[in-house]
């Protein structure tokens, strides 16, 4: 006998296909909306990340008997003073070394063009304009304290102020936020609480390791380049530290720039720089990095390169920065729900057959 039944599985598939069609045909609109949301949320995300990283220091002070409000004030003032002091001390030195580096880099381009009979005038003009904008921006800060970098003064200052204020708020209430989220997850299901707790441990280890490794990289490369007499020793120390957030590629870019600038100064400096670029990345990769990060965030190099490439393609510099944290979250999530995923796959296979 014929039964008038609705095939809900087929209906769900049709609805899903319709949604996918709408998303794909309007991918440009969705992408612009996504970028707008990211732009709005970015100061709050950065503020939360800063307060999340500084919260262990606040808790350490509280364990010593310091009141919460006083501990937050001490941490905020200390970090602010350190940043201002570093800017006052390092910006003039960074400005002078950037001028020297720009001259040497443009000289390298000119030499390459002459030796291989290649017209690199366009590259030289673009590089010169780019260096001039950065040097002039830093020069304005050094000379009169004004900020005018690539015409985005108001936007930069506004985001910095929002990030600073919100980070203080998050830092003051971080324990309460964590407690509220924990209670909420426990009430829903205790397994979700354990899942978020595992993510918290993974990301905390990553952030601690990253900050410590950046500090080590700054002193390591600043000192070795200073010892061999590289005129841009401080600049490359800063670059080595900052580009730590871009695994493999960051160090490669720093070493390549160091070699290029050394090549126009003297053969001896070039050889010394080459030795540094060959030895110290191995030292970082096989000795220092494993000790800093431990086994918790030991990521396969091929996966790291792939994630950096995907992050850069989708989100540019910001995508590169968050690529590894996102992978850590995905990897930790898979490990935590691995058994549930296997059971779900078996159930789907059983229904299909």
């Amino acid at each position: 006998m014929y039964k008038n039944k609705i095939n809900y599985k087929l209906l769900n598939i049709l609805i899903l296909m319709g949604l996918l069609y709408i998303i794909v045909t309007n991918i440009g609109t969705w992408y612009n909306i996504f970028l707008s949301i990211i732009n709005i949320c970015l100061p709050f995300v950065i503020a939360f990340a800063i307060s999340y990283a500084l919260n262990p220091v606040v808790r350490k002070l509280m364990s010593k008997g310091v009141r919460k409000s006083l501990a937050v004030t001490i941490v905020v003032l200390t970090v602010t003073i350190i940043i201002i002091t570093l800017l006052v001390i390092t910006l003039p030195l960074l400005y002078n070394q950037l001028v020297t580096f720009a001259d040497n880099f443009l000289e390298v381009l000119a030499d390459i063009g002459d030796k291989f009979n290649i017209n690199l005038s366009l590259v030289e003009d673009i590089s010169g304009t780019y260096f001039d904008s950065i040097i002039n921006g830093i020069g304005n800060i050094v000379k009169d304290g004004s900020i005018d970098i690539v015409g985005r003064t108001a936007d930069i200052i506004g985001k910095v102020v929002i990030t600073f204020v919100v980070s203080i708020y998050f830092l003051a209430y971080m324990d309460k936020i964590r407690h509220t989220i924990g209670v909420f997850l426990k009430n829903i299901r205790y397994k979700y609480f354990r899942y978020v707790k595992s993510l918290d441990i993974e990301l905390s280890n990553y952030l601690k390791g990253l900050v410590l490794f950046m500090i080590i990289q700054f002193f390591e490369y600043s000192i070795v380049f200073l010892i061999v007499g590289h005129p841009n020793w401080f600049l490359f120390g800063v670059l080595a530290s900052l580009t730590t957030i871009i695994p493999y590629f960051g160090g490669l870019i720093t070493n390549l720039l160091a070699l290029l600038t050394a090549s126009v100064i003297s053969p001896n400096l070039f050889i010394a720089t080459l030795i540094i670029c060959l030895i110290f990345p191995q030292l970082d990769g096989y000795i220092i990095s494993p000790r800093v990060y431990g086994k918790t965030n030991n990521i396969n190099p091929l996966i790291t390169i792939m994630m950096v490439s995907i992050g850069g393609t989708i989100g540019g510099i910001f995508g590169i920065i968050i690529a590894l944290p996102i992978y850590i979250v995905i990897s930790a999530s898979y490990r935590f729900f691995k058994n549930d995923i296997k059971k779900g796959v078996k159930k789907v296979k059983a229904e299909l057959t």
Side-chain angles (χ1 to χ4, degrees):
M1 181 178 180
Y2 176 75
K3 295 182 180 179
N4 187 18
K5 291 185 177 181
I6 299 175
N7 191 332
Y8 287 102
K9 290 185 178 179
L10 180 60
L11 181 61
N12 290 334
I13 292 174
L14 290 174
I15 293 173
L16 179 61
M17 294 296 291
L19 291 174
L20 288 175
Y21 175 78
I22 294 173
I23 292 173
V24 171
T25 53
N26 296 276
I27 190 68
T29 303
W30 294 115
Y31 183 70
N32 291 330
I33 292 174
F34 174 75
L35 290 181
S36 299
I37 294 173
I38 291 294
N39 190 43
I40 294 171
C41 297
L42 187 58
F44 297 93
V45 173
I46 295 175
F48 186 83
I50 293 172
S51 58
Y52 181 82
L54 293 177
N55 188 57
V57 183
V58 174
R59 297 175 71 177
K60 186 71 175 179
L61 291 174
M62 291 175 62
S63 67
K64 301 293 184 181
V66 181
R67 288 185 295 110
K68 177 71 175 288
S69 58
L70 181 59
V72 172
T73 304
I74 291 173
V75 171
V76 172
L77 287 177
T78 303
V79 172
T80 304
I81 291 171
I82 290 173
I83 292 174
I84 293 174
T85 303
L86 287 175
L87 289 176
V88 171
I89 295 174
T90 62
L91 276 181
L93 182 59
L94 185 63
Y95 173 78
N96 293 329
Q97 294 206 0
L98 267 174
V99 173
T100 306
F101 172 76
D103 294 337
N104 291 335
F105 186 79
L106 293 175
E107 187 176 343
V108 169
L109 291 179
D111 287 345
I112 293 174
D114 293 338
K115 289 179 181 178
F116 298 98
N117 195 22
I118 302 174
N119 186 5
L120 296 176
S121 58
L122 179 60
V123 178
E124 292 179 26
D125 292 339
I126 295 174
S127 301
T129 303
Y130 184 71
F131 282 129
D132 287 341
S133 64
I134 297 177
I135 291 170
N136 290 334
I138 297 177
N140 290 334
I141 301 174
V142 173
K143 294 175 183 177
D144 52 21
S146 63
I147 301 177
D148 185 16
I149 302 176
V150 199
R152 299 183 60 188
T153 305
D155 184 49
I156 292 174
I157 293 177
K159 288 182 178 179
V160 168
V161 171
I162 291 173
T163 303
F164 181 76
V165 173
V166 176
S167 63
I168 295 175
Y169 175 84
F170 279 146
L171 187 60
Y173 292 95
M174 180 57 68
D175 287 336
K176 188 175 181 179
I177 293 171
R178 292 166 65 97
H179 176 73
T180 302
I181 295 174
V183 172
F184 175 74
L185 293 173
K186 286 178 181 177
N187 290 334
I188 297 177
R189 191 176 177 184
Y190 191 77
K191 186 175 183 178
Y192 296 156
F193 170 76
R194 291 192 295 109
Y195 166 63
V196 174
K197 186 70 176 178
S198 67
L199 292 184
D200 179 44
I201 294 173
E202 293 280 347
L203 291 175
S204 295
N205 290 337
Y206 171 74
L207 288 175
K208 290 176 184 176
L210 178 63
V211 172
L212 180 58
F213 195 56
M214 289 177 72
I215 294 172
I216 292 173
Q217 290 282 279
F218 170 73
F219 285 104
E220 176 186 346
Y221 281 92
S222 294
I223 291 172
V224 294
F225 280 125
L226 177 62
I227 291 175
V228 299
H230 202 296
N232 303 122
W233 59 271
F234 181 78
L235 174 62
F236 290 125
V238 173
L239 281 176
S241 176
L242 294 179
T243 55
T244 300
I245 59 178
I246 310 175
Y248 302 107
F249 296 106
L252 180 64
I253 293 171
T254 302
N255 291 334
L256 180 61
L257 292 175
L259 285 170
L260 287 174
T261 52
S263 65
V264 299
I265 297 174
S266 71
N268 291 336
L269 181 60
F270 178 80
I271 293 172
T273 304
L274 180 61
I275 293 172
I276 291 173
C277 295
L278 291 175
I279 294 177
F280 281 86
Q282 311 306 319
L283 180 67
D284 295 332
Y286 292 102
I287 298 178
I288 298 178
S289 181
R291 290 180 178 273
V292 171
Y293 287 104
K295 296 181 179 180
T296 308
N297 300 132
N298 188 17
I299 304 174
N300 187 289
L302 184 60
I303 295 177
T304 301
I305 294 172
M306 184 177 67
M307 290 301 300
V308 169
S309 177
I310 294 172
T313 302
I314 296 175
I317 295 296
F318 181 71
I320 291 174
I321 293 174
I322 66 173
L324 277 187
I326 289 176
Y327 174 76
I328 290 171
V329 170
I330 295 173
S331 177
S333 301
Y334 174 75
R335 289 196 302 270
F336 189 86
F337 292 107
K338 181 166 60 176
N339 293 330
D340 294 336
I341 294 172
K342 289 181 179 179
K343 290 179 181 177
V345 171
K346 290 181 179 178
K347 186 176 180 180
V348 171
K349 286 182 178 179
E351 290 182 353
L352 292 175
T353 54

